[in-house]
Amino acid sequence: MTATSVNCALSYADVQRLLADPSPEARIATVSKLVSDLEGGELAGPEKAIATDILHRLAMDAEAAVREAVAWQIHNSPLLTDSLATRLARDIGRVAFPVLRNAPCLTDDLLLQVIADRDAEKQLAVAGRPEVSSRVADAIVETDNVTVIVRLLRNDGATIRDATLHRTLDRYGMLGAVNEAMAGRSGLSLAVIEKLIAYVSEEIRSRLVERHRLSPVLVAEIVGRGREAVTMLLLKPLADSTADLEVMVRHLDRDGRLSPSLMLRALCAGELDLFTIGLGVRAGVPVETARLLVWDDGPLGLRAIFEKAGFPQALLPPFRTAIEVVKRMDYGGRDAGREDYQVAVLARVFEECGAVEERMVDDLLLQLFDQKSDEVIERAMERAGMPFHPVRAAR
């Protein structure tokens, strides 16, 4: 390297200083000077080519600090070519960060490769890019890195599909950092808002009500439904122990939470012991008595225990219909065949009771939608000859 090789970009004194002091600090100072002269348009022809070549060589320097200096100096510069951006993006995290965060020329395919490297610093950089595609957002959620996911949710430039938001809530909705970050996003669908409300604090619910102009009454209903869905998950591990299940059910009864909707949820979910024990506890009769009354083939047993439990007789039709499906399929509450049962019972209940002109029944049926996966609901509605999201939901 001679003084004339780079003309005014690198003076003879600069070259001598580099030769005398090959430290990272000297090379970093050279990076700053090269970038300043190249961006300032002071170089042309062979001098510009030589200076550009030196810059590219410094981007491959053995010292990470030198490569990092190059990345920060040119991350938003026209000097950042596609090939140089790719090289820096695949470097270690501290070098790649400014390029991954800012460079617009990086393709989704490259970003997906970077995310797959499982480098948290790189993933954090990608999550905060000015624009993040839905493909990249999906990959970020799959990293299971909560810090990175929260950064993505706080990024207004990120395009996140509803399905991805639902998956995020299913996995991390109980974490305050996650639900608060999601609550701050604009343009959330009603389906996402409904699920989100069940997780967030009263303060954040108030913000959601104001931001999305929700009815406080609707929010209260959604919170109750979310609590019931969580209750079902908590009771699931107790299903094999009648004694433990009964203890938990009695606790729920003392809290006033053995509602008709929870009982219908249990019945349609295939949690038959929970349904039977729940009605027995609510009615104040022994479990075996409840079992005889609930599963009696005649019309009087279920009506009698409903009356004893204080449940409105107007709600009997969907329960009777579901019990008929249990008997017809000879379903005993096992995991084997559970999804087929759920599809069949939901289809039959909506088919038989969907046209009942009774508001309490209408409201009860609508609450079944948030207990199952979209796939189960969609199959059930298809079997019943109804659309996936019936117009009735707007009533």
Side-chain angles (χ1 to χ4, degrees):
M1 187 188 310
T2 66
T4 57
S5 297
V6 291
N7 201 5
C8 63
L10 271 173
S11 68
Y12 182 76
D14 294 325
V15 174
Q16 292 303 313
R17 188 162 48 250
L18 271 178
L19 292 173
D21 180 12
S23 67
E25 291 76 17
R27 298 200 295 281
I28 290 172
T30 300
V31 170
S32 298
K33 185 169 181 58
L34 283 173
V35 171
S36 176
D37 288 342
L38 285 167
E39 288 185 340
E42 299 180 21
L43 302 177
E47 291 81 5
K48 181 178 180 180
I50 292 171
T52 301
D53 181 63
I54 293 173
L55 183 65
H56 281 241
R57 289 177 183 276
L58 289 171
M60 296 184 290
D61 196 277
E63 289 288 342
V66 177
R67 305 196 305 275
E68 184 180 5
V70 173
W72 279 107
Q73 287 280 340
I74 66 173
H75 70 270
N76 58 354
S77 168
L79 299 177
L80 184 66
T81 63
D82 290 353
S83 61
L84 189 54
T86 299
R87 181 187 304 137
L88 292 170
R90 299 312 302 267
D91 209 320
I92 62 174
R94 56 186 277 206
V95 174
F97 191 94
V99 174
L100 289 172
R101 172 59 61 86
N102 299 285
C105 59
L106 303 181
T107 65
D108 277 2
D109 287 341
L110 174 61
L111 294 175
L112 291 173
Q113 292 171 18
V114 168
I115 292 170
D117 289 342
R118 305 200 70 79
D119 183 314
E121 191 171 7
K122 292 184 178 184
Q123 292 170 348
L124 192 64
V126 175
R129 286 173 62 81
E131 294 184 5
V132 178
S133 73
S134 59
R135 284 179 65 203
V136 174
D138 285 351
I140 289 173
V141 170
E142 292 302 318
T143 66
D144 292 327
N145 185 322
V146 173
T147 301
V148 174
I149 292 170
V150 169
R151 182 65 189 86
L152 176 74
L153 293 172
R154 293 190 185 281
N155 184 356
D156 290 336
T159 301
I160 311 177
R161 298 182 304 122
D162 264 21
T164 306
L165 293 173
H166 279 289
R167 190 161 64 251
T168 303
L169 283 174
D170 290 340
R171 294 179 181 178
Y172 311 109
M174 298 299 291
L175 299 179
V178 172
N179 62 53
E180 184 174 356
M182 191 177 296
R185 291 188 64 80
S186 58
L188 294 177
S189 71
L190 288 177
V192 171
I193 292 172
E194 182 173 352
K195 181 176 286 187
L196 177 60
I197 284 173
Y199 292 110
V200 298
S201 66
E202 290 291 344
E203 179 184 356
I204 299 175
R205 282 178 202 156
S206 298
R207 282 189 237 153
L208 284 170
V209 168
E210 182 177 352
R211 176 188 288 265
H212 298 280
R213 299 181 182 178
L214 302 176
S215 161
V217 175
L218 173 63
V219 170
E221 291 179 357
I222 291 172
V223 170
R225 288 159 57 182
R227 186 180 296 117
E228 286 189 352
V230 172
T231 299
M232 291 287 293
L233 292 175
L234 292 174
L235 293 176
K236 176 73 173 172
L238 304 178
D240 294 333
S241 171
T242 300
D244 290 344
L245 191 58
E246 185 173 351
V247 169
M248 187 63 180
V249 167
R250 290 190 183 282
H251 173 74
L252 292 174
D253 185 46
R254 286 194 297 271
D255 287 348
R257 292 168 60 185
L258 283 185
S259 63
S261 59
L262 180 61
M263 293 295 91
L264 187 60
R265 281 173 184 272
L267 180 55
C268 291
E271 303 295 344
L272 306 186
D273 283 343
L274 171 58
F275 167 64
T276 304
I277 293 172
L279 270 183
V281 168
R282 179 66 188 252
V285 300
V287 172
E288 287 308 313
T289 301
R291 204 178 305 278
L292 289 172
L293 293 172
V294 167
W295 302 105
D296 178 28
D297 288 333
L300 301 180
L302 186 63
R303 179 180 293 275
I305 198 169
F306 246 61
E307 183 175 351
K308 184 76 171 171
F311 287 171
Q313 295 291 313
L315 296 180
L316 270 172
F319 285 89
R320 285 197 187 283
T321 301
I323 288 172
E324 289 173 6
V325 175
V326 173
K327 293 177 178 178
R328 176 173 56 82
M329 296 184 66
D330 193 26
Y331 179 70
R334 304 170 298 275
D335 285 338
R338 182 181 295 272
E339 185 170 309
D340 288 339
Y341 162 75
Q342 290 172 348
V343 170
V345 73
L346 289 174
R348 183 70 182 279
V349 166
F350 277 93
E351 189 176 14
E352 294 290 324
C353 305
V356 172
E357 291 299 325
E358 170 57 59
R359 180 57 187 265
M360 284 192 296
V361 172
D362 203 27
D363 290 343
L364 192 65
L365 298 188
L366 291 176
Q367 293 189 39
L368 293 176
F369 275 96
D370 60 5
Q371 74 169 27
K372 295 285 150 269
S373 68
D374 284 354
E375 182 181 354
V376 169
I377 295 291
E378 188 169 12
R379 286 175 58 196
M381 295 300 93
E382 182 179 351
R383 180 177 295 193
M386 298 173 65
F388 182 16
H389 296 294
V391 177
R392 301 170 61 80
R395 283 184 54 180

